[in-house]
Amino acid sequence: MPDIDKINNVAVADISKLDSITFADGQKVNNQSVSLVTDAHTLISTSTASNATSIDISSGIDSTYDVYMFDFINLNAATDNTTFQFQVNATDGADYNDSAITSTHFAAFLDEPSEGTSSGLYYDGSRDAAQSTSFIPLEHYVGNGADESISGRMWLYAPSSGTYVKHWMAQFSENAQHNAAYSTYVAGYINNTTAIDDIRFNMASGNLDGVIKMYGLAKS
Amino acid sequence: MAKTLIKSLTASSSSSLDFVDGTSDVVMDNTYPVYEFHFVNMHPATDSVSFSFQVNATDDAGGDYDTSTIQSTYFAARHYENDAAAALDYNTGFDKALGTTYQVLGEAGNDNDQSISGVLALYDPSSTTYVKHFTVSTNFSHPGDITRNSFIAGYINDTTAIDEISFKFSSGNIDAGTIKMFGVS
């Protein structure tokens, strides 16, 4: 196959991206077959908070996908020593206050050398939930220092199911407000067989900065 | 990290869900260095059974998923819906010391709304040099109305390539549920 120098009279070297080209459209360029990398990992939305009270995702959670992945990127609190948390709305709810969630919560931590030598792995019985309709803690000790943040990932399974509870799992890495590394694992289920279509993330106190990306994994 | 959906299998009173390289469009060879299996609401026909997996190496093609030795760890956090107890435990009942039976990934009840979901990553199954590492995290509705978040990891102690993997419950059929197999490039 000959090399392509120009596409529609535009030098290939001048083309930095082929944005908005679907795989089907991109199978041939000027009649030249091309092979594009498919990705069954679709970015649905990017939510960027800047001193926001919460990040609410209220579109894109439906039956299009049955595995949703949320990436949390450098969430920073306006208020020191607070807790990052979430709650959902079922399709018959509105105020993020009536979905019962049962969860587990455990963490490993290590102080920075300047703070001491404490380390450990523990189950956190004060931050798990037993059929709670309140916001569910995902990470605590979130700091408001300029370089302090949390990042992590959360999986949500089949939120549109009308049959099963909704399982979810999350892991975070944190540069905590007291200068320690925390690796936190939180999981559970939304004990509701009604479809879930809204999710809210916020800090227990004060506003937040940061980015949340929501992806869907292909169904077929 | 691009993921390619290789195959999605949906159970309907199925004894197992098996992914076999070269069969029904399944690819499980050196095309990808990492394979991910996502379980979505695996629901057992029988109450209080364990969801589990085992593999066949290429020298046991079409075999009975009973010859590959697995060394693994298993720990889990648990919390009762009624708040009766909560803990993080290592579970010696589900780890394996070069065992050849199926590796437990979690337990599930068969109430209508109970199931197990999660993800298993299998690394470099086509290697003929190294053992085959896997990591798993699952969350499930334990039959005792407990949420359990399990973490399983280990290796298939075999330097022969692996190209078949089977998922099933320890007893009874998989009443419903979907397993999606992705290749990660």
Side-chain angles (χ1 to χ4, degrees):
Chain A
M1 187 174 71
D3 292 341
I4 300 172
D5 296 324
K6 291 187 176 183
I7 296 175
N8 283 347
N9 268 340
V10 178
V12 167
D14 294 335
I15 300 173
S16 59
K17 288 184 178 177
L18 286 172
D19 282 333
S20 303
I21 302 297
T22 66
F23 180 74
D25 293 334
Q27 286 179 330
K28 288 197 171 183
V29 177
N30 277 357
N31 226 19
Q32 300 292 326
S33 295
V34 295
S35 178
L36 302 180
V37 175
T38 58
D39 192 358
H41 185 232
T42 301
L43 176 63
I44 301 168
S45 66
T46 298
S47 304
T48 301
S50 178
N51 200 28
T53 55
S54 67
I55 293 178
D56 297 351
I57 301 175
S58 38
S59 66
I61 302 176
D62 54 30
S63 62
T64 305
Y65 303 98
D66 51 18
V67 182
Y68 285 81
M69 186 180 95
F70 300 86
D71 274 348
F72 307 96
I73 302 163
N74 286 331
L75 301 177
N76 173 264
T79 302
D80 200 30
N81 195 14
T82 188
T83 297
F84 182 62
Q85 55 189 12
F86 89 104
Q87 189 40 285
V88 299
N89 281 331
T91 52
D92 57 0
D95 298 323
Y96 298 100
N97 61 2
D98 55 10
S99 293
I101 295 178
T102 297
S103 69
T104 57
H105 192 122
F106 69 94
F109 70 96
L110 174 64
D111 283 347
E112 290 186 9
S114 63
E115 303 300 319
T117 57
S118 292
S119 64
L121 170 67
Y122 66 103
Y123 185 88
D124 193 335
S126 66
R127 295 183 175 86
D128 60 6
Q131 298 294 90
S132 172
T133 56
S134 301
F135 277 74
I136 304 302
L138 292 173
E139 186 61 286
H140 52 295
Y141 303 137
V142 183
N144 70 344
D147 65 347
E148 292 175 343
S149 66
I150 64 170
S151 293
R153 177 169 290 174
M154 177 176 180
W155 298 99
L156 174 63
Y157 292 92
S160 69
S161 171
T163 303
Y164 298 108
V165 302
K166 315 300 183 294
H167 294 286
W168 54 273
M169 304 187 293
Q171 179 184 0
F172 289 88
S173 175
E174 176 183 41
N175 170 14
Q177 57 89 26
H178 55 290
N179 297 325
Y182 273 75
S183 178
T184 303
Y185 298 81
V186 193
Y189 47 79
I190 303 154
N191 199 8
N192 192 344
T193 56
T194 304
I196 300 299
D197 63 352
D198 299 332
I199 190 164
R200 169 174 287 179
F201 300 96
N202 64 17
M203 296 292 174
S205 176
N207 291 347
L208 78 162
D209 297 328
V211 174
I212 302 178
K213 291 179 176 287
M214 182 172 78
Y215 297 86
L217 265 60
K219 260 183 155 175
S220 59
Chain B
M1 176 187 68
K3 293 182 200 287
T4 301
L5 178 62
I6 297 169
K7 187 72 179 177
S8 181
L9 295 178
T10 297
S12 178
S13 296
S14 309
S15 58
S16 66
L17 292 181
D18 300 343
F19 296 85
V20 176
D21 179 53
T23 302
S24 302
D25 301 323
V26 171
V27 175
M28 192 171 171
D29 56 19
N30 62 1
T31 304
Y32 301 98
V34 182
Y35 290 82
E36 282 185 6
F37 299 86
H38 287 261
F39 325 117
V40 183
N41 286 334
M42 309 309 297
H43 179 73
T46 304
D47 196 31
S48 194
V49 290
S50 299
F51 187 60
S52 57
F53 89 99
Q54 182 50 293
V55 299
N56 281 331
T58 53
D59 59 0
D60 188 24
D64 295 327
Y65 298 100
D66 58 358
T67 60
S68 295
T69 56
I70 297 176
Q71 185 79 15
S72 66
T73 59
Y74 189 113
F75 68 94
R78 59 190 164 90
H79 190 196
Y80 285 70
E81 288 183 11
N82 64 8
D83 211 17
L88 174 65
D89 301 311
Y90 186 89
N91 194 324
T92 56
F94 293 149
D95 63 5
K96 299 186 82 65
L98 298 185
T100 56
T101 55
Y102 277 63
Q103 170 66 55
V104 172
L105 302 176
E107 307 155 276
N110 75 339
D111 288 357
N112 287 340
D113 64 350
Q114 292 182 326
S115 65
I116 175 171
S117 295
V119 56
L120 180 155
L122 177 64
Y123 298 88
D124 202 9
S126 69
S127 171
T128 55
T129 303
Y130 298 107
V131 301
K132 316 302 183 295
H133 294 283
F134 63 90
T135 59
V136 189
S137 56
T138 59
N139 200 79
F140 52 94
S141 322
H142 186 276
D145 293 336
I146 308 165
T147 185
R148 290 196 70 155
N149 182 205
S150 291
F151 296 83
I152 307 101
Y155 51 84
I156 300 152
N157 196 23
D158 194 339
T159 56
T160 306
I162 299 297
D163 67 351
E164 301 177 8
I165 188 167
S166 173
F167 298 90
K168 70 176 187 178
F169 282 105
S170 55
S171 177
N173 286 343
I174 307 172
D175 184 54
T178 300
I179 303 178
K180 297 171 180 301
M181 177 186 188
F182 295 88
V184 183
S185 54

